[in-house]
PDB file of all heavy atoms in Angstrom:
ATOM      1  N   PRO A 207     131.585 109.439 111.576  1.00  0.00           N
ATOM      2  CA  PRO A 207     132.318 109.159 112.818  1.00  0.00           C
ATOM      3  C   PRO A 207     132.959 110.404 113.432  1.00  0.00           C
ATOM      4  O   PRO A 207     132.892 110.603 114.655  1.00  0.00           O
ATOM      5  CB  PRO A 207     133.385 108.145 112.387  1.00  0.00           C
ATOM      6  CG  PRO A 207     132.806 107.483 111.172  1.00  0.00           C
ATOM      7  CD  PRO A 207     132.014 108.548 110.473  1.00  0.00           C
ATOM      8  N   SER A 208     133.571 111.250 112.624  1.00  0.00           N
ATOM      9  CA  SER A 208     134.238 112.433 113.178  1.00  0.00           C
ATOM     10  C   SER A 208     133.224 113.424 113.727  1.00  0.00           C
ATOM     11  O   SER A 208     133.470 114.070 114.754  1.00  0.00           O
ATOM     12  CB  SER A 208     135.110 113.101 112.119  1.00  0.00           C
ATOM     13  OG  SER A 208     134.322 113.567 111.037  1.00  0.00           O
ATOM     14  N   GLU A 209     132.079 113.532 113.075  1.00  0.00           N
ATOM     15  CA  GLU A 209     131.030 114.430 113.570  1.00  0.00           C
ATOM     16  C   GLU A 209     130.483 113.937 114.906  1.00  0.00           C
ATOM     17  O   GLU A 209     130.214 114.732 115.817  1.00  0.00           O
ATOM     18  CB  GLU A 209     129.905 114.521 112.530  1.00  0.00           C
ATOM     19  CG  GLU A 209     130.330 115.160 111.225  1.00  0.00           C
ATOM     20  CD  GLU A 209     129.339 114.957 110.114  1.00  0.00           C
ATOM     21  OE1 GLU A 209     128.594 113.954 110.142  1.00  0.00           O
ATOM     22  OE2 GLU A 209     129.306 115.797 109.195  1.00  0.00           O
ATOM     23  N   ASP A 210     130.324 112.631 115.006  1.00  0.00           N
ATOM     24  CA  ASP A 210     129.842 112.058 116.264  1.00  0.00           C
ATOM     25  C   ASP A 210     130.826 112.317 117.397  1.00  0.00           C
ATOM     26  O   ASP A 210     130.432 112.716 118.497  1.00  0.00           O
ATOM     27  CB  ASP A 210     129.611 110.558 116.076  1.00  0.00           C
ATOM     28  CG  ASP A 210     129.033 109.902 117.318  1.00  0.00           C
ATOM     29  OD1 ASP A 210     127.838 110.098 117.579  1.00  0.00           O
ATOM     30  OD2 ASP A 210     129.793 109.201 118.026  1.00  0.00           O
ATOM     31  N   ARG A 211     132.105 112.112 117.115  1.00  0.00           N
ATOM     32  CA  ARG A 211     133.122 112.357 118.158  1.00  0.00           C
ATOM     33  C   ARG A 211     133.155 113.827 118.552  1.00  0.00           C
ATOM     34  O   ARG A 211     133.270 114.163 119.740  1.00  0.00           O
ATOM     35  CB  ARG A 211     134.493 111.913 117.649  1.00  0.00           C
ATOM     36  CG  ARG A 211     134.663 110.408 117.554  1.00  0.00           C
ATOM     37  CD  ARG A 211     136.117 110.033 117.337  1.00  0.00           C
ATOM     38  NE  ARG A 211     136.625 110.557 116.074  1.00  0.00           N
ATOM     39  CZ  ARG A 211     136.596 109.879 114.929  1.00  0.00           C
ATOM     40  NH1 ARG A 211     136.073 108.671 114.870  1.00  0.00           N
ATOM     41  NH2 ARG A 211     137.119 110.413 113.825  1.00  0.00           N
ATOM     42  N   ASN A 212     133.055 114.704 117.582  1.00  0.00           N
ATOM     43  CA  ASN A 212     133.071 116.137 117.873  1.00  0.00           C
ATOM     44  C   ASN A 212     131.880 116.535 118.742  1.00  0.00           C
ATOM     45  O   ASN A 212     132.016 117.301 119.708  1.00  0.00           O
ATOM     46  CB  ASN A 212     133.065 116.928 116.567  1.00  0.00           C
ATOM     47  CG  ASN A 212     133.205 118.422 116.778  1.00  0.00           C
ATOM     48  OD1 ASN A 212     134.111 118.882 117.454  1.00  0.00           O
ATOM     49  ND2 ASN A 212     132.287 119.191 116.193  1.00  0.00           N
ATOM     50  N   GLY A 213     130.708 116.005 118.406  1.00  0.00           N
ATOM     51  CA  GLY A 213     129.527 116.304 119.202  1.00  0.00           C
ATOM     52  C   GLY A 213     129.632 115.786 120.625  1.00  0.00           C
ATOM     53  O   GLY A 213     129.190 116.437 121.579  1.00  0.00           O
ATOM     54  N   ARG A 214     130.251 114.615 120.759  1.00  0.00           N
ATOM     55  CA  ARG A 214     130.416 114.041 122.094  1.00  0.00           C
ATOM     56  C   ARG A 214     131.312 114.924 122.965  1.00  0.00           C
ATOM     57  O   ARG A 214     131.035 115.141 124.154  1.00  0.00           O
ATOM     58  CB  ARG A 214     131.018 112.641 121.951  1.00  0.00           C
ATOM     59  CG  ARG A 214     130.989 111.794 123.197  1.00  0.00           C
ATOM     60  CD  ARG A 214     131.522 110.402 122.886  1.00  0.00           C
ATOM     61  NE  ARG A 214     131.539 109.555 124.065  1.00  0.00           N
ATOM     62  CZ  ARG A 214     132.062 108.337 124.092  1.00  0.00           C
ATOM     63  NH1 ARG A 214     132.604 107.831 122.994  1.00  0.00           N
ATOM     64  NH2 ARG A 214     132.041 107.620 125.196  1.00  0.00           N
ATOM     65  N   LYS A 215     132.380 115.459 122.373  1.00  0.00           N
ATOM     66  CA  LYS A 215     133.273 116.359 123.124  1.00  0.00           C
ATOM     67  C   LYS A 215     132.546 117.648 123.505  1.00  0.00           C
ATOM     68  O   LYS A 215     132.692 118.148 124.630  1.00  0.00           O
ATOM     69  CB  LYS A 215     134.495 116.693 122.268  1.00  0.00           C
ATOM     70  CG  LYS A 215     135.462 115.532 122.079  1.00  0.00           C
ATOM     71  CD  LYS A 215     136.607 115.916 121.164  1.00  0.00           C
ATOM     72  CE  LYS A 215     137.547 114.749 120.926  1.00  0.00           C
ATOM     73  NZ  LYS A 215     138.628 115.105 119.959  1.00  0.00           N
ATOM     74  N   LYS A 216     131.764 118.184 122.588  1.00  0.00           N
ATOM     75  CA  LYS A 216     131.029 119.417 122.889  1.00  0.00           C
ATOM     76  C   LYS A 216     129.993 119.192 123.990  1.00  0.00           C
ATOM     77  O   LYS A 216     129.740 120.078 124.813  1.00  0.00           O
ATOM     78  CB  LYS A 216     130.358 119.946 121.619  1.00  0.00           C
ATOM     79  CG  LYS A 216     131.318 120.546 120.603  1.00  0.00           C
ATOM     80  CD  LYS A 216     130.553 121.159 119.433  1.00  0.00           C
ATOM     81  CE  LYS A 216     131.467 121.908 118.483  1.00  0.00           C
ATOM     82  NZ  LYS A 216     130.729 122.534 117.369  1.00  0.00           N
ATOM     83  N   TRP A 217     129.369 118.013 123.982  1.00  0.00           N
ATOM     84  CA  TRP A 217     128.402 117.703 125.031  1.00  0.00           C
ATOM     85  C   TRP A 217     129.100 117.645 126.400  1.00  0.00           C
ATOM     86  O   TRP A 217     128.579 118.175 127.387  1.00  0.00           O
ATOM     87  CB  TRP A 217     127.723 116.375 124.736  1.00  0.00           C
ATOM     88  CG  TRP A 217     126.823 115.894 125.824  1.00  0.00           C
ATOM     89  CD1 TRP A 217     127.113 114.956 126.777  1.00  0.00           C
ATOM     90  CD2 TRP A 217     125.479 116.321 126.098  1.00  0.00           C
ATOM     91  NE1 TRP A 217     126.044 114.766 127.624  1.00  0.00           N
ATOM     92  CE2 TRP A 217     125.021 115.597 127.228  1.00  0.00           C
ATOM     93  CE3 TRP A 217     124.613 117.233 125.507  1.00  0.00           C
ATOM     94  CZ2 TRP A 217     123.750 115.756 127.762  1.00  0.00           C
ATOM     95  CZ3 TRP A 217     123.341 117.406 126.037  1.00  0.00           C
ATOM     96  CH2 TRP A 217     122.922 116.678 127.152  1.00  0.00           C
ATOM     97  N   ALA A 218     130.255 117.016 126.438  1.00  0.00           N
ATOM     98  CA  ALA A 218     130.987 116.927 127.706  1.00  0.00           C
ATOM     99  C   ALA A 218     131.291 118.309 128.259  1.00  0.00           C
ATOM    100  O   ALA A 218     131.272 118.518 129.485  1.00  0.00           O
ATOM    101  CB  ALA A 218     132.279 116.132 127.504  1.00  0.00           C
ATOM    102  N   ALA A 219     131.538 119.271 127.357  1.00  0.00           N
ATOM    103  CA  ALA A 219     131.884 120.625 127.800  1.00  0.00           C
ATOM    104  C   ALA A 219     130.711 121.357 128.440  1.00  0.00           C
ATOM    105  O   ALA A 219     130.914 122.256 129.255  1.00  0.00           O
ATOM    106  CB  ALA A 219     132.417 121.422 126.607  1.00  0.00           C
ATOM    107  N   ILE A 220     129.463 120.985 128.084  1.00  0.00           N
ATOM    108  CA  ILE A 220     128.310 121.686 128.666  1.00  0.00           C
ATOM    109  C   ILE A 220     127.519 120.785 129.624  1.00  0.00           C
ATOM    110  O   ILE A 220     126.450 121.177 130.096  1.00  0.00           O
ATOM    111  CB  ILE A 220     127.361 122.255 127.586  1.00  0.00           C
ATOM    112  CG1 ILE A 220     126.669 121.122 126.812  1.00  0.00           C
ATOM    113  CG2 ILE A 220     128.093 123.187 126.645  1.00  0.00           C
ATOM    114  CD1 ILE A 220     125.482 121.604 125.993  1.00  0.00           C
TER     115      ILE A 220
END
Side-chain angles (χ1 to χ4, degrees):
S208 63
E209 295 166 333
D210 183 75
R211 288 192 297 268
N212 185 52
R214 192 176 179 186
K215 289 177 182 177
K216 288 185 173 182
W217 174 260
I220 67 166

